[in-house]
Amino acid sequence: MSNVKRMWLLLRTVAILVVGGIIGAAYLGSVWLGLLLGFLVSLGLFLAFEARKGGGPGHDEYDDGARL
């Protein structure tokens, strides 16, 4: 992973956690709950972006996962 991509990943994660903390404090009554929701959103985005990369060597483009 390049340094630029790693920096954007860290900035996006920190931004989502800060927004989650603010939303948690303002609307949910608990900063920790907001941070937990922010962490889960950040983790979901990370997994989605990593799954999109796929298609490496040995990847069968016609395999939709329905076959055993």
Side-chain angles (χ1 to χ4, degrees):
M1 183 182 289
S2 71
N3 288 336
V4 174
K5 288 183 181 180
R6 185 172 293 141
M7 182 60 80
W8 279 111
L9 176 67
L10 287 173
L11 286 174
R12 185 179 63 228
T13 302
V14 168
I16 290 173
L17 288 175
V18 167
V19 169
I22 292 170
I23 289 174
Y27 297 110
L28 302 176
S30 172
V31 174
W32 291 111
L33 184 59
L35 288 175
L36 177 65
L37 290 174
F39 174 73
L40 292 175
V41 167
S42 180
L43 182 65
L45 285 174
F46 175 74
L47 291 175
F49 286 132
E50 287 296 316
R52 251 182 98 186
K53 285 193 323 190
H59 177 71
D60 183 9
E61 64 185 51
Y62 300 109
D63 184 14
D64 60 359
R67 294 178 280 173
L68 293 178

